[in-house]
Amino acid sequence: MTTHFIRSEMVPAQPAPHRTSGPILWLRTRLFSSIPNTIMSLVVLGLLFLIVPPMFFFLVPTTFGGHAIPFGLEPDACRVPGAGACWAYIGARINFFIYGFYPPDEYWRPNLVFLLGALLIVPLLIPRAPFKVINAVLFFVVYPVVCFYLLNGGVFGLRSVPTEQWGGLLVTLIISLVGIICSIPLGILLALGRQSKLPIIKTLCIMFIELWRAVPLITVLFMASVMLPLFMPQGTTVDKLLRALIGVTLFSSAYLAEVVRGGLQALPRGQYEAASSLGLSYWKSMGFIVLPQALKHVIPGIVNTFIALFKDTSLVSIVGIFDLLNAVQSAASDVVWGSPTQAMTGYLFAAFVFWIFCFSMSRYSMYMERRLDTGHKR
């Protein structure tokens, strides 16, 4: 038997249901969901109101409503009271910031180095690009040799340009690229050596890592620049840039070794046993099974080390190497472009260049994390 209920009177009108989407709901749930959140949101909005408008007028050129001096104007335009950033000064000294004291008639050589580097590194960073082995050989073996002879000259009729004349962004990129590329294999070997069962190798790796981690990079650069020539035979000289490259590489490899060791320890013991059960040798098990998994776990730590290395390249200025930051500091004393905002504009430009490279490395590491599906995403 089925019982049916039939309503005999209408239900009173009910209020409309709450919105489940839209900007007002987003503001209410994300910024003003409680009294403490409302107070913090109002404080942050107040700070943004105080900071953003002055920055906008300082950075944006006059053609877009700001107070900054655009490219192409004369130095007198930057001395006007109330003028913002002097971008005309950056445009006039951009070659000095990029090439340093490199001869202007030889700028095509650094430009060719930049172009070859871009043509090789872009397909190397794209996972689906073909010919990875050939590309890697060209970038890691052939490209450094070509760069050295192109920049240094002295062969094939090229004019000799000593490293003392290299500078600006060119030197910053050379130090960071050499440090990153050379520290990867060295750091992996140190991490494997620290976990070795051979006591001599393990002890040597531990001593190397702890020594370089316990010394500031500034001390390493001073040692490489000032102290090292004192211990060399009389008449023997080592290029200052080469000494800095070796110091930065060894310093970075010690930190990278500890990052890789963290990935090796995070790997379950069963992976090592599985590699042994297949009858693989030590190097084959490390190369085919252990390291590919261990390195995936520590991609954020590895990229963090590279970003720190890229920013630490500015420390080479204290040993007389003319990197980007040193070029900006030196150009700040140019009386032709003297203005109240000259130095600040130069530092803003240097900060923007560093930010571009560091942010790019960070985004690429996140892309690789998603592609390799390391499971770090929450």
Side-chain angles (χ1 to χ4, degrees):
M1 176 180 179
T2 304
T3 303
H4 298 281
F5 295 93
I6 301 175
R7 187 182 299 278
S8 59
E9 56 186 17
M10 295 298 292
V11 177
Q14 300 293 323
H18 295 292
R19 295 175 61 90
T20 58
S21 62
I24 296 178
L25 181 65
W26 186 90
L27 289 174
R28 191 167 57 188
T29 57
R30 302 295 180 88
L31 301 181
F32 307 106
S33 59
S34 63
I35 294 178
N37 290 346
T38 301
I39 294 174
M40 287 191 292
S41 299
L42 292 176
V43 170
V44 172
L45 290 175
L47 291 175
L48 290 177
F49 180 76
L50 293 176
I51 295 173
V52 173
M55 286 187 63
F56 172 81
F57 289 113
F58 183 82
L59 297 175
V60 176
T62 52
T63 50
F64 297 102
H67 299 159
I69 307 304
F71 298 102
L73 296 185
E74 296 299 322
D76 292 337
C78 298
R79 303 188 184 102
V80 176
C86 185
W87 299 123
Y89 157 70
I90 299 297
R93 303 306 302 271
I94 188 66
N95 287 336
F96 182 68
F97 295 151
I98 295 178
Y99 309 106
F101 297 105
Y102 211 87
D105 56 339
E106 302 289 337
Y107 280 170
W108 65 271
R109 288 154 62 177
N111 291 336
L112 185 57
V113 168
F114 292 147
L115 178 62
L116 290 176
L119 292 177
L120 290 175
I121 199 170
V122 169
L124 197 62
L125 296 177
I126 299 175
R128 293 183 178 179
F131 309 111
K132 273 286 184 290
V133 176
I134 298 175
N135 195 353
V137 171
L138 289 176
F139 182 74
F140 291 110
V141 179
V142 179
Y143 180 64
V145 178
V146 173
C147 287
F148 174 76
Y149 285 111
L150 260 179
L151 295 175
N152 195 59
V155 293
F156 304 116
L158 294 175
R159 173 183 170 187
S160 178
V161 181
T163 57
E164 288 78 8
Q165 296 184 9
W166 302 7
L169 181 63
L170 174 65
V171 166
T172 298
L173 292 179
I174 288 175
I175 296 175
S176 56
L177 274 179
V178 171
I180 290 173
I181 293 173
C182 295
S183 64
I184 292 175
L186 191 55
I188 292 175
L189 290 177
L190 287 171
L192 295 177
R194 185 158 188 168
Q195 290 196 327
S196 174
K197 296 179 180 178
L198 301 176
I200 296 179
I201 295 178
K202 183 175 183 178
T203 304
L204 289 176
C205 291
I206 292 175
M207 290 175 60
F208 180 91
I209 293 172
E210 298 301 332
L211 172 65
W212 288 94
R213 285 204 308 163
V215 180
L217 180 57
I218 294 177
T219 307
V220 173
L221 294 173
F222 269 121
M223 287 284 292
S225 179
V226 180
M227 300 295 293
L228 184 61
L230 301 178
F231 298 101
M232 299 188 70
Q234 190 174 5
T236 304
T237 57
V238 180
D239 188 83
K240 184 186 292 185
L241 181 60
L242 178 61
R243 281 178 267 167
L245 289 175
I246 295 174
V248 169
T249 300
L250 296 179
F251 184 84
S252 178
S253 64
Y255 280 87
L256 190 64
E258 288 301 280
V259 175
V260 175
R261 188 170 69 90
L264 293 173
Q265 290 183 341
L267 210 60
R269 187 66 186 171
Q271 297 298 317
Y272 293 88
E273 296 173 352
S276 301
S277 66
L278 293 175
L280 299 177
S281 64
Y282 174 79
W283 292 109
K284 285 185 178 179
S285 63
M286 287 295 156
F288 294 135
I289 296 179
V290 176
L291 280 177
Q293 299 182 72
L295 294 178
K296 280 199 307 182
H297 287 294
V298 292
I299 287 177
I302 292 175
V303 176
N304 193 41
T305 304
F306 292 160
I307 289 175
L309 167 64
F310 185 78
K311 293 189 296 183
D312 286 345
T313 55
S314 59
L315 293 176
V316 299
S317 61
I318 63 174
V319 293
I321 296 177
F322 224 76
D323 73 317
L324 174 62
L325 186 61
N326 202 354
V328 170
Q329 286 178 325
S330 300
S333 59
D334 186 359
V335 295
V336 176
W337 284 95
S339 67
T341 60
Q342 178 191 13
M344 187 180 299
T345 306
Y347 288 123
L348 283 173
F349 170 74
F352 179 72
V353 173
F354 275 97
W355 181 82
I356 287 291
F357 283 97
C358 294
F359 185 72
S360 301
M361 285 191 278
S362 174
R363 292 292 100 183
Y364 183 73
S365 75
M366 295 179 68
Y367 163 73
M368 289 305 296
E369 284 184 58
R370 289 193 297 270
R371 178 176 175 80
L372 298 175
D373 191 21
T374 55
H376 298 302
K377 187 176 181 181
R378 300 289 184 183

